[in-house]
Amino acid sequence: MAHDLGADTGLLYDGPDWDYRRVRRAFDAIERIAVDEMGLEPYPSQVEVISSEQMLDAYSSMGMPLFYRHWSFGKHFARDEMLYRKGVTGLAYEIVINSNPCLCYIMEENTMTMQTLVMAHAAFGHSHFFRNNQLFREWTDAESILDYLDFAKRYIADCEERYGHAAVERVLDAAHALMTHGVHRYPRPRPLNLKRELERERERQRFQESSFSDLWRTLPDRDTGEDRSDPDLDARQTRLGLPEENLLYFLEKHAPRLAPWQREVLRIVRLVAQYFYPQKQTKVMNEGCATSVHYAIMTRLHETGQITDGAFMEFLHAHTSVVFQPEFDDPRYSGINPYALGFGILKDLERICTAPTAEDRRWFPDIAGSRDVLGTWKTAWAEYRDESFILQFLSPRLMREWRLFSVLDDTDADAMEVEAIHDESGFRAVRRALASHYDLARHEPDIQVVDVDLAGDRHLMLEHRVVDGRRLEPGNSRMVLRHLANLWGYPVTLAEVDAASERVLNRYEAVAPDHAVT
């Protein structure tokens, strides 16, 4: 057996090569700092080493270790593999799964320093955030997600055998097209429990069949000439639970032509979409948390002589690359780097807590000079999402350092107007403008089911609440409406309504299904 120099010198490792014993030793050292010194509360971790091809495979299926099959995942794999082989893009150093235990996949091509870095970043930074952030506590079930994904994979594979690959693919294609509109955006009376969902699968199917019959058998026969007067709108909306923003949920419960297995497929896609919903709202905070944690841990390992100067320099090179923010006129600029913004705000909070200026005391009277850096960080990680995090903690000093300002880009004007500069009111305006950039309600269309023509042709009526004049793209909208109509089984209409004035801006012609999902 080769002699381990690290065991004699107090170093966790010496050199770039890694083996499982060194990885285990580094993990234990990281855990002592993260849990004992920083007081973090991550899930128990399961670290697995994977190859580049396995990493690409994980990319293609939304980063999940278990998933059902769909042609879009293969398309993503082929694209990512081609870009990687040609050197156009690189691969992530790790993938981490919000589960209990927390799964952390690290690349076998990484050096030992990088393995140490990504374990600190993912297995402790991200894991603490997953376990403690309010959005994740309300919307995800880390205890059961892997079991549920295993059930979903087996269930859809069984459906393909029983009903045919093409039939299942049609339902999945339509469900994936509506996936963005398949989430509940507000807290429900009880948290998601995927284990209980598995136990209730058969009971739920029986209930769905029963509720389907009770609802639709009362409809008049369109060929018998029975009374087709429109029932009271309020009563109809109450009966169907309208308006409903979760389109997949509405279709799962009320689409008249779906078979029980098709409703279950919609439910699977809907629950997966709900699982990822908090991640869309916490990208800056989640990466800021993990980056701040790995920076603190790696610095501590160097201070205590557990990694060499060379290893620390390698870490700093990787770290600065991750938090690099190109200027707006840099060819590499593609927007604000969430790692840079999250890490920048958290490090600035550390300065405000330990060495505040008079300006900091005016803007942050509750935390300025408190010296409770970790307490402030943990409160932010637990109680905020990106929008509120930026709105609460972005400081004038950081805005000056980043040279942030706000401009009005009016398409009807000949030139852009600078709306906010570096003064008291300007800082607040810039902070509001940047925070709104991370508000999903302003960037994802608010589309709701508002009515169903039960007495007529049974067409489904949707409404898009237009904010700040942001209308839907007609071509894509018609394609998505076609998918929705295929699931509903009857025509679908959509009206765009200005959210401020209630004025109807546009009405899409009725889109009829082009094939029966059954």
Side-chain angles (χ1 to χ4, degrees):
M1 181 179 295
H3 183 61
D4 189 348
L5 294 176
D8 296 335
T9 63
L11 295 172
L12 297 175
Y13 57 89
D14 187 14
D17 297 333
W18 64 268
D19 57 32
Y20 290 103
R21 183 175 55 181
R22 291 187 176 93
V23 169
R24 178 78 235 188
R25 185 188 302 146
F27 181 92
D28 291 341
I30 294 167
E31 186 174 37
R32 286 191 294 270
I33 297 172
V35 176
D36 298 341
E37 297 184 20
M38 299 180 67
L40 300 185
E41 300 174 356
Y43 288 118
S45 295
Q46 180 176 323
V47 179
E48 298 185 12
V49 182
I50 62 176
S51 66
S52 59
E53 184 168 334
Q54 290 172 314
M55 183 68 79
L56 285 165
D57 187 56
Y59 276 9
S60 68
S61 57
M62 303 183 190
M64 304 305 294
L66 291 168
F67 222 39
Y68 53 79
R69 295 180 299 176
H70 189 251
W71 62 266
S72 64
F73 302 150
K75 181 189 72 172
H76 294 155
F77 179 88
R79 179 200 61 192
D80 293 338
E81 183 184 38
M82 180 269 293
L83 294 175
Y84 174 65
R85 302 302 178 197
K86 289 185 175 182
V88 177
T89 61
L91 294 179
Y93 295 120
E94 45 76 27
I95 286 181
V96 60
I97 309 300
N98 172 29
S99 60
N100 185 13
C102 182
L103 297 184
C104 177
Y105 294 98
I106 59 180
M107 289 271 286
E108 64 182 7
E109 289 88 349
N110 291 346
T111 65
M112 186 59 214
T113 294
M114 291 308 302
Q115 305 293 37
T116 306
L117 163 61
V118 298
M119 286 190 295
H121 181 94
F124 293 91
H126 281 310
S127 182
H128 173 88
F129 191 87
F130 290 147
R131 188 173 187 176
N132 293 276
N133 180 263
Q134 181 67 25
L135 279 173
F136 284 88
R137 292 201 303 269
E138 288 180 349
W139 292 115
T140 64
D141 181 10
E143 300 286 342
S144 306
I145 183 61
L146 295 180
D147 289 339
Y148 188 79
L149 290 176
D150 181 57
F151 153 75
K153 182 177 181 179
R154 288 185 288 104
Y155 186 88
I156 289 181
D158 181 61
C159 288
E160 289 175 339
E161 287 190 13
R162 296 176 63 185
Y163 307 109
H165 177 80
V168 176
E169 185 176 272
R170 284 196 295 270
V171 179
L172 283 175
D173 286 349
H176 282 200
L178 297 167
M179 203 169 186
T180 302
H181 305 287
V183 297
H184 294 290
R185 292 178 171 83
Y186 302 98
R188 296 173 299 164
R190 59 183 178 85
L192 181 67
N193 187 319
L194 295 177
K195 185 175 182 179
R196 177 62 177 151
E197 294 295 337
L198 291 178
E199 296 171 354
R200 294 178 58 188
E201 176 200 348
R202 293 183 178 178
E203 175 188 343
R204 183 170 61 247
Q205 289 187 359
R206 288 194 298 270
F207 172 78
Q208 287 173 339
E209 292 176 8
S210 173
S211 63
F212 160 73
S213 298
D214 288 340
L215 172 65
W216 294 101
R217 70 183 177 183
T218 60
L219 290 175
D221 189 335
R222 297 175 60 189
D223 298 324
T224 62
E226 292 184 35
D227 181 18
R228 295 174 57 178
S229 60
D230 188 25
D232 179 75
L233 175 62
D234 291 339
R236 186 166 64 249
Q237 288 183 326
T238 300
R239 186 178 188 184
L240 296 175
L242 301 179
E244 175 58 64
E245 65 176 355
N246 191 327
L247 304 187
L248 288 180
Y249 177 81
F250 180 84
L251 292 169
E252 172 199 333
K253 299 300 181 184
H254 301 300
R257 292 186 169 181
L258 292 182
W261 71 267
Q262 294 168 325
R263 299 179 194 279
E264 190 64 33
V265 170
L266 293 190
R267 186 177 188 84
I268 287 170
V269 175
R270 178 171 67 82
L271 293 180
V272 170
Q274 195 71 63
Y275 169 86
F276 284 107
Y277 180 61
Q279 300 189 28
K280 297 166 66 175
Q281 299 185 81
T282 56
K283 178 69 173 178
V284 170
M285 290 188 62
N286 203 340
E287 298 300 352
C289 170
T291 305
S292 299
V293 166
H294 84 226
Y295 185 85
I297 290 174
M298 295 298 288
T299 300
R300 184 63 175 155
L301 289 175
H302 182 243
E303 289 173 348
T304 55
Q306 297 181 76
I307 60 175
T308 65
D309 292 344
F312 190 63
M313 291 298 294
E314 181 186 351
F315 152 70
L316 287 177
H317 174 75
H319 172 80
T320 53
S321 297
V322 166
V323 299
F324 173 65
Q325 175 61 58
E327 298 286 342
F328 76 95
D329 56 352
D330 190 306
R332 296 166 292 181
Y333 179 81
S334 60
I336 295 181
N337 178 358
Y339 294 82
L341 182 59
F343 180 72
I345 293 177
L346 290 169
K347 292 301 289 183
D348 195 51
L349 283 179
E350 180 178 357
R351 178 193 61 79
I352 292 170
C353 290
T354 56
T357 64
E359 180 183 55
D360 296 326
R361 294 186 184 277
R362 291 197 310 273
W363 280 69
F364 306 101
D366 295 336
I367 61 174
S370 67
R371 309 198 68 80
D372 184 15
V373 177
L374 287 174
T376 302
W377 282 3
K378 291 175 187 177
T379 299
W381 297 337
E383 303 299 334
Y384 292 85
R385 57 183 178 180
D386 287 347
E387 177 197 3
S388 56
F389 175 65
I390 293 169
L391 198 57
Q392 180 68 29
F393 295 117
L394 182 64
S395 73
R397 176 166 175 169
L398 194 59
M399 284 184 266
R400 285 193 295 268
E401 289 181 0
W402 281 45
R403 294 184 288 179
L404 298 177
F405 59 92
S406 177
V407 297
L408 174 63
D409 187 7
D410 188 344
T411 55
D412 297 328
D414 295 332
M416 292 189 295
E417 175 187 351
V418 177
E419 286 190 308
I421 58 173
H422 291 177
D423 57 23
E424 187 76 11
S425 62
F427 286 133
R428 299 187 186 280
V430 168
R431 192 161 68 171
R432 286 194 301 270
L434 183 59
S436 69
H437 182 71
Y438 296 92
D439 180 5
L440 286 185
R442 297 177 63 87
H443 299 283
E444 291 190 348
D446 178 11
I447 300 175
Q448 302 181 20
V449 179
V450 293
D451 199 6
V452 182
D453 183 8
L454 296 180
D457 62 2
R458 304 179 186 179
H459 78 270
L460 189 68
M461 288 167 261
L462 279 69
E463 185 176 278
H464 171 220
R465 308 287 293 178
V466 178
V467 178
D468 294 337
R470 297 181 179 182
R471 304 268 292 275
L472 299 173
E473 198 283 318
N476 287 336
S477 298
R478 291 189 185 93
M479 287 190 290
V480 174
L481 288 174
R482 182 79 64 189
H483 282 298
L484 201 157
N486 288 336
L487 292 173
W488 177 246
Y490 296 95
V492 176
T493 61
L494 172 66
E496 292 192 280
V497 179
D498 183 76
S501 66
E502 298 294 329
R503 182 170 60 92
V504 177
L505 304 175
N506 180 41
R507 290 187 187 276
Y508 284 82
E509 293 184 3
V511 176
D514 59 5
H515 63 259
V517 295
T518 55

